[in-house]
């Protein structure tokens, strides 16, 4: 699977999910209720995105998406 196959909104949602998860996992996070609700909302958006109906192997594509979003986040942080 080529990384360019993913819609931009899906990659952005995964990156937002990663950032929210990291914020929640930090020592003594602030606004945990807000972070948990955001994580839940982003999880639903990721899971039910229409893109998943178009790929032959959604579990493999989901792993690829997570790797892509992590790599993209690392590049932006550098």
């Amino acid at each position: 699977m080529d990384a360019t196959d993913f819609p931009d909104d899906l990659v952005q949602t995964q990156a937002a999910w990663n950032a929210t998860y990291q914020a929640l996992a930090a020592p003594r996070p602030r606004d945990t209720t807000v972070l948990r609700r955001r994580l839940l909302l982003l999880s639903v958006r990721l899971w039910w995105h229409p893109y998943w109906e178009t790929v032959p192997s959604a579990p493999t594509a989901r792993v690829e998406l997570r790797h892509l979003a992590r790599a993209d986040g690392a590049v932006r942080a550098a």
Side-chain angles (χ1 to χ4, degrees):
M1 166 151 301
D2 187 18
T4 59
D5 290 337
F6 294 112
D8 289 337
D9 67 320
L10 186 58
V11 176
Q12 291 171 356
T13 303
Q14 182 65 54
W17 189 97
N18 291 348
T20 304
Y21 186 87
Q22 286 180 337
L24 192 57
R28 294 189 213 163
R30 292 177 168 244
D31 302 321
T32 56
T33 301
V34 172
L35 290 171
R36 287 178 181 169
R37 287 179 180 163
R38 179 162 170 75
L39 196 63
L40 182 59
L41 174 70
L42 292 169
S43 295
V44 169
R45 287 183 184 168
L46 284 169
W47 186 262
W48 294 107
H49 195 281
Y51 174 78
W52 301 122
E53 296 176 11
T54 66
V55 293
S57 178
T60 303
R62 288 179 195 276
V63 171
E64 289 279 330
L65 175 64
R66 285 192 293 270
H67 287 281
L68 174 66
R70 280 189 205 125
D72 189 40
V75 168
R76 289 183 186 177

